[in-house]
Amino acid sequence: MSDAALPPLTIVEVQRRVGEELTRIGPVIDELGARFAAAGEELALVGGPVRDAMLGRLQNDLDFTTSARPETTEKLLAGWVDAIWDMGRAFGTIGARIGEWQVEITTYRAETYDPSSRKPDVEYGADLTGDLGRRDFTVNAMAVSVPGRGFEDPYGGLVDLANRTLRTPGRPEDSFSDDPLRMMRAARFAAQLGFEVAPEVVAAMTAMAGRIEIISAERVRDELVKLVCAPFPRLGLSLLVDTGLAAYVLPELPALALERDEHHRHKDVYEHTLTVLEQSIDLESRLGGGPDFVSRFAALMHDVGKPRTRRFESGGVVTFHHHDVVGAKMTRKRMQALRFSNAETDAVARLVELHLRFHGYGSGEWTDSAVRRYVRDAGDQLARLHILTRADCTTRNQRKADRLRRTYDSLEERIARLAEQEELDAIRPDLDGAQIMEILGIGPGPRVGAAYKHLLELRMDHGPMSADEAREALITWADSHPDTRPGQ
């Protein structure tokens, strides 16, 4: 996947796309606008929906801004929409569902942040121009008033969008002081839209990077997920590193720029990591869905243990022994700090810890037992481990790359063959706990677990056994491991 800049848009093309989108959503926006106009209120489609209409990105989530206060908005929607929710009432927002459409209608706002606060102080604004001026970027500060469909662009968002440039409506320092998360949103929009960030915006992000510390971990996490799952994540990640923001939100990433990898294939491990991320994205169609955060974040974090494990050996050799294990612990700690779920944290950390395991396969010397253990240790992350391991090959030596690919093809074929023969994805001992207790004549306790573990190792080493073979193996183990502790 390339993060090369996309070509500029023409104004004619933008206007054509907007016209088509307004026709598509017309039945909703026109009637909604008429309801507000009849009540003497203003209503305008605003922000992302207007921007995405110009980019040809269809959506059914529509954002509006209005002169009406939330209680008035709620009354105007009542009896017409299918459902209403008011979780955002404190911020002036009322949500509703109208058939297949999701709408959010927010009262004109003037929003500022206290320098020491994580939450905005919300004040209602007086007009549309003022509301647009408090938005993050000019491409999100355009509106279409309804029902008349008049285009409002007081800050030059149309030109910036045509040039694929991110710029703030006012001074970027003021915008980022009001909401420091907007600095991360700049990186996220660069990754999502392939836009270039204006130099003055980059300068403000660099000067104010430390302000991101007042933002809650959950909000930072959500922006990071959107960035990593975007079409051009390298653009956003590079911006975070270059401006110093990454040092606060994901410090393991810029730390990689200080390390050269052991094969000198890239100028540093940081560049290698971004390449692995891109190659992982190219392979994620194997998972059968859209952008996969776990797979992408594992690619991003797979080498974060290298700075802590770097050692200089004789002859100028640099090693990173056990960086997989160290990296997994670092990954877990960072994801916990960012309030990721336990499931996501466990999945990514496991992939980081296992990403080097394949290299013990050599030219296919692993026994079937070793292949079974590889599958068991990967668990439900096996498909993602296949992707990460393949993506981690970034050598420019085509012969070596081809050899590694063929070797991994061989491993996957062996896994598939064993899986067909042995139900490999659900490896268990040939006897369960109840059967073990019955055969040995014991009750629940540690001895059952020890026997279970022994049978599982036999299963891994030798494959499936018959019931009689498993029974004999269990009795043999019990005879050589007499129960010496009472009550077991």
Side-chain angles (χ1 to χ4, degrees):
M1 171 171 292
S2 172
D3 280 355
L6 299 173
L9 298 168
T10 66
I11 299 299
V12 172
E13 175 66 11
V14 169
Q15 290 173 332
R16 182 189 66 78
R17 289 174 175 176
V18 171
E20 291 177 352
E21 179 67 351
L22 291 179
T23 298
R24 185 179 76 90
I25 65 179
V28 175
I29 65 173
D30 290 343
E31 185 169 354
L32 194 58
R35 283 178 164 270
F36 277 73
E41 302 287 358
E42 299 174 355
L43 184 71
L45 185 70
V46 71
V50 178
R51 178 200 69 224
D52 287 346
M54 295 178 174
L55 294 171
R57 294 153 49 106
L58 302 181
Q59 59 173 293
N60 284 3
D61 293 343
L62 305 178
D63 296 331
F64 296 86
T65 186
T66 181
S67 58
R69 297 299 173 93
E71 58 273 15
T72 302
T73 295
E74 197 167 20
K75 289 178 183 178
L76 292 173
L77 295 176
W80 179 60
V81 301
D82 299 316
I84 296 178
W85 52 90
D86 66 350
M87 288 87 76
R89 180 184 293 273
F91 299 96
T93 301
I94 301 296
R97 178 171 56 83
I98 308 170
E100 61 181 323
W101 310 95
Q102 301 279 354
V103 304
E104 286 194 348
I105 303 174
T106 302
T107 303
Y108 294 154
R109 292 195 298 188
E111 183 177 284
T112 59
Y113 272 69
D114 181 278
S116 61
S117 173
R118 294 175 182 232
K119 297 181 180 180
D121 295 323
V122 177
E123 297 180 4
Y124 294 133
D127 54 36
L128 177 59
T129 299
D131 181 88
L132 295 178
R134 56 155 291 277
R135 294 178 181 266
D136 51 8
F137 304 104
T138 60
V139 296
N140 295 330
M142 298 179 286
V144 175
S145 58
V146 290
R149 300 192 183 182
F151 180 57
E152 308 289 341
D153 181 23
Y155 302 101
L158 179 58
V159 173
D160 285 341
L161 184 136
N163 291 327
R164 298 188 183 275
T165 300
L166 282 177
R167 200 182 311 276
T168 55
R171 289 186 349 117
E173 293 83 0
D174 296 336
S175 179
F176 298 153
S177 180
D178 282 347
D179 185 356
L181 190 68
R182 289 173 175 173
M183 295 186 286
M184 285 202 67
R185 285 170 62 84
R188 190 248 291 183
F189 281 126
Q192 284 184 331
L193 305 175
F195 281 20
E196 179 181 353
V197 181
E200 69 274 14
V201 176
V202 173
M205 292 170 66
T206 303
M208 303 178 65
R211 280 277 290 161
I212 198 67
E213 290 188 299
I214 74 166
I215 300 299
S216 69
E218 291 82 359
R219 295 183 74 204
V220 169
R221 174 201 63 206
D222 292 346
E223 285 298 325
L224 186 61
V225 170
K226 292 174 184 177
L227 189 162
V228 170
C229 290
F232 311 105
R234 180 189 280 261
L235 289 178
L237 292 168
S238 297
L239 184 60
L240 290 181
V241 171
D242 293 344
T243 58
L245 274 163
Y248 295 94
V249 301
L250 194 64
E252 296 80 5
L253 186 59
L256 293 175
L258 304 176
E259 306 301 325
R260 291 187 176 274
D261 76 7
E262 62 267 40
H263 302 297
H264 304 284
R265 293 172 297 193
H266 302 270
K267 68 178 182 180
D268 53 42
V269 180
Y270 168 70
E271 289 294 334
H272 162 76
T273 294
L274 294 181
T275 301
V276 173
L277 171 61
E278 290 177 324
Q279 293 184 167
S280 175
I281 293 170
D282 290 340
L283 292 169
E284 69 184 3
S285 59
R286 284 168 153 247
L287 300 175
D292 183 71
F293 173 76
V294 168
S295 180
R296 294 186 182 199
F297 203 60
L300 193 62
M301 302 295 284
H302 79 283
D303 272 348
V304 296
K306 281 190 170 180
R308 292 190 182 179
T309 58
R310 181 174 61 168
R311 299 292 182 270
F312 297 97
E313 309 291 345
S314 60
V317 176
V318 181
T319 64
F320 302 96
H321 296 313
H322 307 301
H323 77 266
D324 47 346
V325 176
V326 173
K329 293 178 180 178
M330 294 172 63
T331 296
R332 184 176 296 278
K333 184 176 181 180
R334 177 56 50 198
M335 293 186 73
Q336 289 171 343
L338 289 170
R339 306 290 192 271
F340 279 97
S341 69
N342 289 338
E344 286 179 309
T345 301
D346 290 343
V348 176
R350 179 185 296 181
L351 289 168
V352 172
E353 185 170 1
L354 294 177
H355 82 273
L356 290 181
R357 184 74 64 86
F358 160 72
H359 295 286
Y361 188 70
S363 301
E365 293 86 358
W366 275 3
T367 62
D368 284 352
S369 172
V371 174
R372 294 186 192 104
R373 283 181 166 80
Y374 187 77
V375 173
R376 179 193 64 181
D377 292 346
D380 59 2
Q381 299 306 313
L382 182 61
R384 289 182 173 123
L385 183 58
H386 289 333
I387 290 174
L388 177 58
T389 303
R390 289 181 179 275
D392 196 24
C393 174
T394 60
T395 178
R396 296 172 185 173
N397 183 324
Q398 192 59 48
R399 182 179 300 177
K400 182 178 181 180
D402 290 342
R403 184 175 71 251
L404 286 170
R405 185 183 65 252
R406 289 193 300 269
T407 303
Y408 205 84
D409 287 344
S410 170
L411 175 58
E412 285 201 60
E413 289 167 4
R414 287 184 65 186
I415 290 172
R417 187 165 59 251
L418 284 172
E420 183 177 356
Q421 296 170 353
E422 306 179 9
E423 297 183 359
L424 198 58
D425 57 343
I427 294 179
R428 295 180 179 85
D430 296 285
L431 299 174
D432 61 25
Q435 291 170 313
I436 291 171
M437 289 188 288
E438 180 182 356
I439 291 170
L440 297 184
I442 61 176
R447 187 165 174 76
V448 178
Y452 187 94
K453 182 178 180 180
H454 172 70
L455 291 175
L456 178 58
E457 290 300 315
L458 290 180
R459 172 73 170 79
M460 300 297 294
D461 287 336
H462 305 295
M465 294 185 288
S466 68
D468 288 341
E469 289 171 335
R471 179 186 178 88
E472 181 179 346
L474 174 61
I475 293 173
T476 299
W477 173 85
D479 289 343
S480 61
H481 294 77
D483 180 11
T484 59
R485 286 180 290 175
Q488 294 184 4

